[in-house]
């Protein structure tokens, strides 16, 4: 799995692609922690290129959304493939993490 | 060159072994004696008998050093390289003066003093000893590491065995129930578990769960989750209540921020009523006796251990004669083949549809074989866990 970062105003957009499995979870987590440490106004995780998320991968989303909430950073996840979306729905994560259909919708949720 | 002579030579002047060590010690003693005698000869005004003794000693020393030189030459894989190597030259220097002295007496004194250079021979011993010692230390360290790894592996195997051993091996004996379960652990330590709990009101609690992550943390959290659920199930006879309590407790006993997906249902063998609540787990399948498949996908709640205060809606379904309930973890549907393709729910449903009318254990066997055939040579990355419960009400024909 690899991860790309871009900045748009005060918002950081993280684009992971590939398989977020047990092995990829720890590097992805530290990548996102680095982003949060810079306290952007918002964080969008664009999952358009994400093929698979294991439970260890879900845990990263949980920790990041928890950490962001503590620092008052808005987090939105967008563009989930159906298989990945199903994992979020079954596990109940879509109840606690804001999910948008695409990047434009996600950016619209970001603080101005 | 006769190979056996070379082998014997190598054994004497090699870097290790009892013969080499004895020979080294002999040479070492002679070097010290010889250097000492050179100094003695040069400084003191010696009586004739002493000079004679030193001369004989010198002949013996040169003889042994010459023999050593020949051995090293024989043992050396590349002769020319040895002759012109530093130690080769030092060795030669330590015997050459003796032979040269016979040619021209004028150089005698200088050549004799040159024998002091034999002290350089000591350096080889020091260097070789150091290399041998370092090599031995490294080998010992390596042995320690291998041993430690072996021990760690063995301890993990014990932990894994314990983890599997705490799972019930048989379904509680209940009239009309044919239940079976199986867990095939992944190579790394995972966190799947299932449970059958006999409740005080004669009903049976069935748990199917999957802890996030792998390794020792997942195994520990599995044990904590399993113990809590078992304890709470006896006191909370409603699945949603049981999961809500378990979640709140797990949230306080969760330093690693792990979570566990749990499907918990309570089956009443007297009337076929199944109550269930789902904490983020893959919804199970209900295969009706005639072969149709239903998904127990009543709205669920969040995985357990993530957020205190989570609620889990309760649902209820009526089982009929010869219906089968199939609980599973994502190790089944997310078993990948070498092409990176997942087994998926479609194949699982097809298997249950086609072969669901036999014994519970038979269906589990069938699914496990299907998954193994599909995965082929690809390594099993996650635990594969299944529970099947078939119901034959006692009153029906």
């Amino acid at each position: 799995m690899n991860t790309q970062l871009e900045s748009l105003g005060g918002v950081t957009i993280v684009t992971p692609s590939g398989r977020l499995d047990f092995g990829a979870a720890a590097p992805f987590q530290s990548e996102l922690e680095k982003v949060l440490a810079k306290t952007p106004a918002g964080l969008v995780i664009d999952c358009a290129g994400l093929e698979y998320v294991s439970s260890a991968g879900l845990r990263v989303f949980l920790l990041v959304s928890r950490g962001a909430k503590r620092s008052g950073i808005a987090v939105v996840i967008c563009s989930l493939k159906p298989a990945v979306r199903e994992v979020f729905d079954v596990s109940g994560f879509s109840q606690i993490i804001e999910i948008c259909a695409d990047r434009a919708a996600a950016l619209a949720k970001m603080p101005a | 060159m006769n190979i056996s002579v070379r082998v014997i030579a190598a054994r004497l002047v090699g870097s290790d072994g009892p013969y080499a060590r004895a020979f080294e010690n002999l040479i070492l003693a002679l070097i010290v004696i010889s250097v000492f005698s050179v100094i003695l000869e040069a400084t003191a005004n010696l009586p004739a008998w002493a000079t004679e003794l030193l001369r004989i000693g010198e002949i013996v020393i040169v003889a042994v050093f010459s023999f050593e030189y020949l051995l090293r030459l024989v043992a050396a894989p590349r002769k020319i390289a040895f002759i012109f190597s530093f130690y080769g030259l030092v060795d030669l220097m330590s015997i050459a003066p003796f032979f040269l002295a016979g040619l021209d007496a004028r150089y005698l004194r200088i050549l004799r003093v040159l024998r002091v250079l034999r002290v350089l021979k000591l350096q080889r011993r020091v260097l070789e000893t150091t290399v041998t010692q370092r090599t031995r230390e490294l080998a010992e360290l390596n042995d320690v590491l291998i041993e430690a790894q072996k021990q760690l592996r063995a301890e993990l195997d014990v932990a894994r065995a314990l983890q599997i051993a705490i799972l019930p091996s048989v379904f509680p004996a209940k009239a009309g129930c044919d239940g079976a379960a199986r867990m095939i652990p992944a190579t790394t330590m995972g966190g799947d578990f299932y449970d059958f709990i006999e409740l005080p009101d004669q009903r049976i609690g069935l748990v199917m769960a999957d802890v996030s992550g792998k390794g020792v943390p997942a195994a520990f959290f599995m044990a904590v989750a399993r113990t809590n659920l078992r304890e709470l199930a006896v006191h909370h006879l409603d699945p949603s209540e049981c999961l809500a309590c378990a979640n709140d407790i797990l949230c306080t006993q969760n330093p690693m921020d792990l979570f566990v997906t749990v499907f918990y249902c309570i089956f009443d063998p007297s009337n076929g009523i199944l109550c269930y609540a789902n904490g983020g787990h893959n919804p199970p399948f209900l295969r009706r006796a005639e072969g149709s498949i239903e998904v127990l996908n009543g709205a669920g709640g969040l995985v357990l251990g993530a957020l205190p205060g989570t609620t889990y809606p309760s649902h209820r379904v009526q089982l009929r004669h010869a219906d089968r309930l199939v609980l599973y973890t994502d190790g089944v549907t997310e078993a990948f083949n070498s092409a990176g393709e997942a087994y998926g729910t479609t194949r699982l449903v097809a298997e249950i549809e086609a072969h669901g009318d036999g014994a519970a254990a038979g269906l589990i066997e069938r699914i496990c074989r299907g998954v193994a055939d599909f995965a082929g040579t690809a390594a099993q990355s996650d635990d594969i866990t299944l529970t099947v419960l078939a119901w034959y009400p006692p009153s029906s024909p």
Side-chain angles (χ1 to χ4, degrees):
Chain A
M1 198 190 81
N2 64 66
T3 308
Q4 286 190 340
L5 297 180
E6 51 189 297
S7 277
L8 204 70
V11 176
T12 302
I13 303 169
V14 178
T15 314
S17 57
R19 295 166 54 83
L20 181 52
D21 53 19
F22 183 73
F28 184 52
Q29 184 182 338
S30 62
E31 190 90 44
L32 287 171
E33 276 165 1
K34 265 184 255 165
V35 170
L36 291 181
K38 291 179 190 150
T39 57
L43 170 63
V44 172
I45 306 175
D46 187 333
C47 300
L50 205 58
E51 311 286 343
Y52 169 77
V53 177
S54 78
S55 64
L58 276 181
R59 178 173 168 270
V60 177
F61 284 100
L62 175 69
L63 294 180
V64 165
S65 86
R66 214 184 263 168
K69 195 174 270 178
R70 265 200 303 272
S71 320
I73 301 167
V75 177
V76 176
I77 299 172
C78 69
S79 319
L80 274 67
K81 291 193 178 198
V84 174
R85 171 84 209 199
E86 195 192 333
V87 172
F88 273 83
D89 288 342
V90 166
S91 61
F93 273 69
S94 38
Q95 297 169 23
I96 57 162
I97 299 174
E98 178 143 29
I99 299 177
C100 290
D102 52 38
R103 189 185 280 210
L107 286 171
K109 300 268 185 186
M110 290 291 116
Chain B
M1 172 74 58
N2 189 333
I3 192 74
S4 65
V5 173
R6 197 168 145 185
V7 168
I8 292 166
R11 192 163 295 171
L12 278 174
V13 295
S15 59
D16 211 1
Y19 298 115
R21 267 200 297 279
F23 193 67
E24 269 299 336
N25 288 336
L26 172 70
I27 298 290
L28 179 70
L30 290 180
I31 291 168
V32 173
I33 291 170
S34 117
V35 170
F36 184 70
S37 67
V38 169
I39 294 166
L40 200 68
E41 209 178 58
T43 54
N45 206 349
L46 297 170
W49 63 266
T51 314
E52 183 59 17
L53 196 69
L54 286 175
R55 201 181 63 81
I56 296 168
E58 175 65 13
I59 291 169
V60 172
I61 286 168
V62 168
V64 175
F65 282 4
S66 302
F67 179 60
E68 183 210 1
Y69 184 71
L70 286 176
L71 282 180
R72 288 202 188 277
L73 192 60
V74 167
R78 286 156 54 226
K79 316 295 176 202
I80 305 295
F82 168 73
I83 290 171
F84 291 103
S85 72
F86 175 71
Y87 292 116
L89 289 173
V90 166
D91 283 348
L92 195 60
M93 289 270 278
S94 60
I95 50 172
F98 179 86
F99 297 115
L100 290 176
L103 299 178
D104 193 333
R106 281 176 303 168
Y107 297 119
L108 197 66
R109 268 194 85 79
I110 290 178
L111 289 174
R112 289 176 85 85
V113 172
L114 272 180
R115 285 177 300 163
V116 175
L117 291 176
R118 283 173 185 168
V119 79
L120 288 174
K121 280 165 81 75
L122 283 172
Q123 201 173 332
R124 162 157 40 205
R125 187 182 164 83
V126 171
L127 193 73
E128 278 180 1
T129 310
T130 312
V131 169
T132 313
Q133 198 178 334
R134 289 279 176 279
T135 311
R136 194 162 28 228
E137 279 171 10
L138 270 179
E140 279 169 9
L141 215 58
N142 201 31
D143 286 348
V144 169
L145 275 177
I146 290 171
E147 191 51 42
Q149 198 188 12
K150 217 188 277 175
Q151 198 173 339
L152 194 66
R153 187 78 247 169
E155 279 175 14
L156 280 178
D157 285 347
V158 169
R160 196 78 180 115
L162 280 176
Q163 198 188 8
I164 296 166
I166 61 170
L167 302 179
S169 52
V170 290
F171 193 81
K174 286 278 175 191
C177 290
D178 169 24
R182 185 161 175 197
M183 161 151 88
I184 306 171
T187 40
T188 46
M189 197 180 255
D192 274 15
F193 67 98
Y194 64 86
D195 211 350
F196 306 134
I197 307 163
E198 290 189 75
L199 300 177
D201 59 3
Q202 301 306 309
R203 294 186 301 166
I204 302 165
L206 285 86
V207 178
M208 181 57 66
D210 182 358
V211 172
S212 62
K214 288 179 187 176
V216 175
F220 263 97
F221 197 65
M222 169 262 184
V224 172
R226 192 253 180 184
T227 310
N228 274 303
L229 276 168
R230 189 158 252 275
E231 179 73 21
L232 291 166
V234 181
H235 296 105
H236 300 275
L237 297 173
D238 173 62
S240 74
E241 222 180 278
C242 181
L243 287 191
C245 285
N247 175 59
D248 287 347
I249 290 173
L250 287 177
C251 285
T252 65
Q253 300 178 352
N254 192 2
M256 299 293 294
D257 285 308
L258 296 176
F259 56 79
V260 56
T261 71
V262 182
F263 182 88
Y264 180 49
C265 60
I266 298 176
F267 181 62
D268 188 338
S270 71
N271 58 18
I273 290 174
L274 184 85
C275 299
Y276 69 89
N278 194 347
H281 196 82
N282 307 54
F285 297 110
L286 178 60
R287 182 192 189 272
R288 294 299 186 182
E290 81 285 355
S292 67
I293 305 271
E294 291 169 24
V295 186
L296 300 190
N297 56 0
L302 183 65
V303 295
L304 277 71
L307 192 69
T310 304
T311 56
Y312 302 89
S314 227
H315 305 277
R316 154 192 295 248
V317 61
Q318 174 72 55
L319 264 65
R320 296 188 294 263
H321 177 264
D323 283 352
R324 268 157 190 71
L325 178 69
V326 181
L327 312 178
Y328 69 99
T329 59
D330 61 9
V332 176
T333 46
E334 287 174 18
F336 291 95
N337 63 15
S338 47
E341 199 184 345
Y343 182 74
T345 46
T346 317
R347 287 186 183 83
L348 176 60
V349 166
E351 201 75 69
I352 298 169
E353 255 175 349
H355 305 284
D357 44 11
L363 178 57
I364 287 179
E365 179 59 36
R366 183 86 215 183
I367 296 169
C368 289
R369 211 175 331 131
V371 171
D373 287 348
F374 174 81
T377 54
Q380 184 191 333
S381 62
D382 202 358
D383 295 344
I384 289 174
T385 311
L386 282 155
T387 292
V388 171
L389 171 64
W391 186 54
Y392 304 95
S395 55
S396 65

